[in-house]
Amino acid sequence: MLFYFLIKNIVDFSLLAISVTGLFIIHIRLKQKRKERYVFITHITGVFLWCCIISLSYYFISACVSHLHLQFLTPSTLRFIAISIALVIGIHKLYCIIDLFEQQLILKGRDITDSRVISKTLKIITFTIILLMYGEHFGMNFSGLLAFGGIGGLAVGMACKDILSNFFSGVMLYFDRPFSIGDWIRSPDREIEGTVTEIGWRMTKIITFDHRPFYIPNSLFSSISVENPGRMTNRRIKTTVGLRYDDAGKLSVVVEKIRNMLLEHPDIDQSQTLLVYFTEFADSSLNIMVYCFTRTTDWQNWLAIQQEIYLNIIHIVKENGADFAFPSHSIYLS
């Protein structure tokens, strides 16, 4: 009898074997780095092959159950299982395609934060639509589903107040955009400082400068102030140069030469405030304030420019026969 069943359905078994082989080949190809267009086609082909496998498996199992007169497996139960498996696989493949779409947006220069929010929104919409269609297919009324969702939403809202607070705070973070993925942020209210690597629906992930992951609930950002140095337009150089009291006669020349050096420096932004003035009679020194802004905002480049400025100041001071002061005391003996 089994041999007769196999011969009768040889074509269907062949299609099943071909579909399984095709899925194996697709799995191997997806692990290889290929062009996005081919990856998209591969995912679509995979969905088609999975549908074939599930349909043929449903047909064979139904025939076996009918032949063996198994009472615990009814046709409706098998149908429910087959559709549920197809639904899970379909959602997974759709999510893969949405992830591919997100990568395409990022490669085309779209903001990473925008791309991820679009991707997550599409996933939620996809899941909701498929879930509603799934319920409708098995006889659940659409209005009933919405009513159940309203009552369930009220219950979930009362039980998960903090989760919903984080969710809506995440939505406001997207619209207000105080920071984006890749920004360096810090909060003077809390010990928070690092680079934003992910903005989720519930929490934001920050990598601190010692490379520790820091997970912050989104609702926290609605109650603290956040500084975003990553969006600065310039970086500031501010220092005090202290000369000896013995060099008072050379002070004006040194101040003028430091100012001219900064005015002629290509990495100093001349459209920003530039100040070089003698400002203070300190205990052991005559203090000159140096205040300017670099064109770059990159920390490493800024450090290099600041170092060059400081070395130039040392050269100017030494060149004019002056020297730097250090804390000292005069003792008079009588």
Side-chain angles (χ1 to χ4, degrees), residues 276-321:
V276 183
Y277 291 101
F278 167 50
T279 57
E280 184 182 10
F281 292 96
D283 292 338
S284 305
S285 62
L286 301 171
N287 289 344
I288 302 170
M289 181 186 70
V290 178
Y291 186 97
C292 59
F293 291 86
T294 62
R295 298 182 187 276
T296 183
T297 59
D298 181 76
W299 188 47
Q300 185 173 354
N301 292 338
W302 174 80
L303 287 173
I305 295 168
Q306 180 179 251
Q307 173 181 277
E308 183 183 348
I309 296 295
Y310 288 175
L311 291 174
N312 288 343
I313 290 174
I314 293 173
H315 177 72
I316 290 171
V317 171
K318 297 291 186 180
E319 184 183 44
N320 288 275

Side-chain angles (χ1 to χ4, degrees), residues 88-141:
V88 171
I89 294 171
I91 291 175
H92 172 70
K93 289 297 181 181
L94 285 173
Y95 278 16
C96 291
I97 292 172
I98 292 172
D99 289 337
L100 182 64
F101 175 67
E102 176 191 335
Q103 294 171 11
Q104 282 285 83
L105 289 177
I106 295 172
L107 289 174
K108 290 180 179 179
R110 189 73 180 262
D111 183 71
I112 298 177
T113 307
D114 286 342
S115 302
R116 291 193 178 175
V117 169
I118 291 171
S119 172
K120 290 176 181 177
T121 304
L122 287 175
K123 287 179 180 179
I124 291 175
I125 293 173
T126 301
F127 180 79
T128 303
I129 292 174
I130 291 178
L131 184 64
L132 291 174
M133 292 173 61
Y134 182 75
E136 282 278 347
H137 183 78
F138 288 102
M140 293 184 68
N141 186 269

Side-chain angles (χ1 to χ4, degrees), residues 50-167:
W50 270 113
C51 290
C52 291
I53 292 172
I54 293 170
S55 299
L56 292 170
S57 299
Y58 169 72
Y59 168 73
F60 292 139
I61 294 172
S62 297
C64 291
V65 168
S66 176
H67 178 73
L68 298 174
H69 303 290
L70 299 176
Q71 300 297 324
F72 64 92
L73 281 178
T74 62
S76 59
T77 303
L78 290 174
R79 185 163 161 268
F80 174 79
I81 294 172
I83 292 176
S84 299
I85 294 173
L87 186 71
V88 171
I89 294 171
I91 291 175
H92 172 70
K93 289 297 181 181
L94 285 173
Y95 278 16
C96 291
I97 292 172
I98 292 172
D99 289 337
L100 182 64
F101 175 67
E102 176 191 335
Q103 294 171 11
Q104 282 285 83
L105 289 177
I106 295 172
L107 289 174
K108 290 180 179 179
R110 189 73 180 262
D111 183 71
I112 298 177
T113 307
D114 286 342
S115 302
R116 291 193 178 175
V117 169
I118 291 171
S119 172
K120 290 176 181 177
T121 304
L122 287 175
K123 287 179 180 179
I124 291 175
I125 293 173
T126 301
F127 180 79
T128 303
I129 292 174
I130 291 178
L131 184 64
L132 291 174
M133 292 173 61
Y134 182 75
E136 282 278 347
H137 183 78
F138 288 102
M140 293 184 68
N141 186 269
F142 183 74
S143 58
L145 284 172
L146 291 179
F148 174 76
I151 297 171
L154 181 61
V156 170
M158 295 177 65
C160 306
K161 181 180 67 174
D162 292 338
I163 294 176
L164 290 177
S165 175
N166 289 325
F167 173 79

Side-chain angles (χ1 to χ4, degrees), residues 157-227:
M158 295 177 65
C160 306
K161 181 180 67 174
D162 292 338
I163 294 176
L164 290 177
S165 175
N166 289 325
F167 173 79
F168 287 112
S169 295
V171 173
M172 293 311 298
L173 282 178
Y174 170 72
F175 286 110
D176 293 341
R177 201 62 65 85
F179 50 81
S180 301
I181 293 174
D183 284 353
W184 160 34
I185 66 170
R186 63 185 173 206
S187 172
D189 303 331
R190 300 290 185 95
E191 293 183 2
I192 298 173
E193 184 172 13
T195 303
V196 179
T197 57
E198 185 176 350
I199 303 174
W201 292 120
R202 194 175 69 84
M203 64 176 58
T204 295
K205 180 181 178 182
I206 293 175
I207 299 296
T208 61
F209 293 132
D210 54 354
H211 298 285
R212 289 179 300 149
F214 198 9
Y215 300 93
I216 305 168
N218 289 333
S219 59
L220 185 63
F221 290 108
S222 62
S223 59
I224 64 172
S225 57
V226 177
E227 181 184 350

